[in-house]
Amino acid sequence: MSLDSDVIVDRRRIRRKLTFWRLVAAVVVLAAVVVVGVLATPAGRSSLSVSGSIARVNIEGLIRSDQQRVEALERLEKSSAAAVIVHINSPGGTTAGSEQLYDALMRLKAKKPLVVVVEGLAASGGYIGALAADHIIAQQSSLVGSIGVLFQFPNFTELMKTVGVKVEEVKSSPLKAAPNGFEPTSPEARAALDALVKDSYAWFRGLVKTRRGMDEALLDKVADGRVFTGRQAVELKLVDQLGDEKTAVAWLVAEKKIKSDLPVRDFKLTPRFGDMTFLRAVASVSFDALGLSAIARQIEQAGVTGAVDQLALDGMLALWRPAASN
């Protein structure tokens, strides 16, 4: 009887030890997954690589609202990067997305010196983003400006008459869902749209006037919707200097006392490493192998970052569109 009791006690002791070492192994695996994420993903490499350097950020293509971009720029605020060079090559996008980008860059500029380099195009919403900079640099042949707001919509009224189709509707008020493209635009609807465009345009003009220190006469000259070359833009105070990234670095050294030997390194505006799909799979399989299937299921559903949070561990358009050729 005594022998059986000793065996039971030994088994319990072994089980407790096994549970302890499983937990230790789980912590080691989680740490390894985090390290792999940092080293294997662009966002993770960026957060490490900009340490003690000048961060290079690229804004390209159409600008829309993008919360991941905002969060990435917030991480850059908290990094040890000495300064930021933002390369812009964009025809613009939505006014809301452009305003969001401008606000995020303004918050970043409050923490670190920030220079914009216009690669080929910074028009409309792209120029709104550039206005956040301490200093704007463009190449001689870059296109800059297109200060204006656009609201476009198709109207199929004549086509529908031709094919014999009519859209019936019942709505609460005349301006609900107007314009809709299926009927001639009423004077009231056109006036409402005109008020929207003028209000956004006034905000855009005010931004240019304040950020670029222009008087009304010069503002009227540059804010008629045209784009200007880099050479013209310098004369019109839309940009500060002609040049490229080397010019931006030289300005940072001269004006912001940034060390001249700091490298310029890419900072990618990509999601956090903890939410990457392949990392979910690695972490899930690892915890399953250790017998911790409950944690594995949580990681599969929420990702590494979400799982850590759940486990309570501390741890209108501003767009430039050149006319199509016939």
Side-chain angles (χ1 to χ4, degrees), residues 42-122:
R45 289 196 300 269
S46 294
S47 63
L48 293 178
S49 65
V50 297
S51 178
S53 66
I54 299 171
R56 179 192 296 118
V57 173
N58 291 299
I59 304 294
E60 298 179 330
L62 292 176
I63 297 172
R64 301 180 178 88
S65 295
D66 186 342
Q67 189 58 34
Q68 289 181 348
R69 179 180 62 213
V70 171
E71 291 171 359
L73 292 173
E74 288 174 349
R75 292 197 297 275
L76 183 53
E77 283 181 42
K78 301 170 185 175
S79 75
S80 59
V84 181
I85 298 176
V86 180
H87 290 257
I88 296 180
N89 188 14
S90 171
T94 66
T95 51
S98 303
E99 181 180 2
Q100 182 195 59
L101 174 62
Y102 170 81
D103 289 340
L105 291 176
M106 284 293 288
R107 290 192 295 270
L108 178 58
K109 186 182 75 69
K111 300 291 181 64
K112 301 179 186 297
L114 190 150
V115 184
V116 160
V117 175
V118 180
E119 290 293 342
L121 178 64

Side-chain angles (χ1 to χ4, degrees), residues 96-167:
S98 303
E99 181 180 2
Q100 182 195 59
L101 174 62
Y102 170 81
D103 289 340
L105 291 176
M106 284 293 288
R107 290 192 295 270
L108 178 58
K109 186 182 75 69
K111 300 291 181 64
K112 301 179 186 297
L114 190 150
V115 184
V116 160
V117 175
V118 180
E119 290 293 342
L121 178 64
S124 257
Y127 187 65
I128 290 175
L131 287 171
D134 294 311
H135 197 69
I136 303 176
I137 296 170
Q139 295 178 325
Q140 296 188 61
S141 57
S142 296
L143 296 179
V144 178
S146 187
I147 299 168
V149 178
L150 174 70
F151 193 109
Q152 287 184 327
F153 54 94
N155 193 295
F156 305 104
T157 305
E158 296 303 318
L159 174 63
M160 293 172 68
K161 287 180 181 178
T162 301
V163 298
V165 176
K166 183 179 180 181
V167 175

